[in-house]
């Protein structure tokens, strides 16, 4: 006697394929939602990208160092300056890393609009081998020469400060608050 498979048993080999097709549809939908910043996606469809990605920012920077020995600190003048980076071009990720690596935490002015040339510096010495063994204090300063090929403007300086985690006493507000109120405030 020959065993006849039930109808549901005959569908099982096709079931993974239908699940794969359904998963592929979901993946396509998710992919389409995720391509809103991919110009190639819109080019393939013959459409214009509704939100073109902003060009990557480039920063022309220099990092200078001051090496203070215990004798220098006593005399009130450092005896050795260093150039860590001389007019190097970096992107935003590199600039953020540099801010952390060099301990940059202090702007040279309280407001980015008050001076045409502003820099950022470290306020505490780098705790490295020389610090612990010889008492040498090293401080660093970041100088921004250009942002995307032009001299930095106050808004550029504020963006850089935000990027590297430096706070001004009087910061610029670059973006409007998330939800501005239209009309009177009825909650007193």
């Amino acid at each position: 006697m020959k065993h006849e498979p039930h109808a549901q048993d005959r569908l099982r080999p096709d079931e993974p394929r239908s699940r794969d097709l359904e998963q592929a549809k979901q993946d396509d939908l998710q992919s389409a939602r995720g391509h809103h910043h991919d110009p190639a996606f819109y080019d393939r469809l013959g459409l214009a990208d509704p939100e073109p990605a902003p060009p990557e920012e480039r920063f022309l920077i220099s990092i200078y160092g001051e090496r203070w020995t215990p004798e220098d600190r006593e005399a009130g003048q450092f005896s050795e300056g260093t150039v860590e980076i001389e007019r190097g071009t970096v992107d935003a990720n590199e600039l953020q890393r540099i801010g952390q690596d060099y301990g940059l935490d202090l702007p040279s002015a309280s407001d980015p609009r008050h001076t045409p040339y502003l820099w950022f510096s470290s306020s505490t010495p780098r705790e490295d081998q020389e610090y612990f063994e010889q008492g040498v204090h090293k401080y660093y300063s970041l100088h921004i020469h250009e942002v995307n090929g032009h001299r930095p403007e106050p808004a550029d300086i504020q963006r850089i400060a935000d990027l590297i985690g430096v706070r001004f006493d009087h910061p610029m507000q670059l973006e409007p608050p998330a939800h501005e109120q239209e009309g009177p405030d009825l909650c007193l």
Side-chain angles (χ1 to χ4, degrees):
M1 182 185 234
K2 191 174 180 185
H3 182 320
E4 183 68 32
H6 295 292
Q8 67 186 34
D9 292 338
R10 283 189 302 232
L11 293 177
R12 282 194 183 141
D14 293 337
E15 191 175 59
R17 195 175 87 184
S18 68
R19 269 190 271 149
D20 289 343
L21 288 173
E22 185 60 35
Q23 183 62 43
K25 286 179 189 176
Q26 291 299 322
D27 291 345
D28 287 346
L29 274 173
Q30 192 66 22
S31 178
R33 287 185 200 117
H35 285 291
H36 66 278
H37 292 293
D38 181 9
F41 174 77
Y42 291 96
D43 288 344
R44 286 191 301 273
L45 296 174
L47 301 171
D49 185 358
E51 294 180 28
E56 186 174 316
E57 286 191 301
R58 306 300 291 172
F59 306 93
L60 182 64
I61 67 164
S62 293
I63 299 279
Y64 302 114
E66 297 175 359
R67 188 173 178 275
W68 293 75
T69 64
E71 297 78 23
D72 293 340
R73 288 194 310 279
E74 191 174 300
Q77 177 67 37
F78 70 93
S79 59
E80 184 181 339
T82 61
V83 176
E84 304 291 315
I85 299 173
E86 179 64 34
R87 298 184 71 81
T89 302
V90 298
D91 64 16
N93 290 332
E94 291 169 302
L95 189 60
Q96 189 173 33
R97 181 190 52 77
I98 285 169
Q100 292 171 352
D101 290 351
Y102 288 98
L104 303 172
D105 61 354
L106 189 65
S108 63
S110 62
D111 188 319
R113 296 164 284 214
H114 284 176
T115 180
Y117 187 73
L118 189 139
W119 65 91
F120 302 99
S121 59
S122 58
S123 63
T124 57
R126 179 179 272 181
E127 294 182 350
D128 59 8
Q129 187 174 354
E130 278 189 302
Y131 175 82
F132 290 111
E133 292 178 0
Q134 301 167 21
V136 173
H137 290 199
K138 296 176 188 171
Y139 298 93
Y140 299 93
S141 60
L142 165 68
H143 300 262
I144 309 292
H145 306 292
E146 293 180 1
V147 175
N148 297 327
H150 66 82
R151 184 170 173 80
E153 297 173 7
D156 296 321
I157 296 297
Q158 182 65 59
R159 273 196 331 276
I160 292 165
D162 292 344
L163 185 67
I164 64 175
V166 173
R167 301 291 171 239
F168 288 104
D169 291 339
H170 307 285
M172 293 178 62
Q173 188 171 3
L174 297 178
E175 296 180 19
H179 45 284
E180 289 203 22
Q181 188 173 332
E182 294 179 17
D185 184 3
L186 300 176
C187 300
L188 300 176

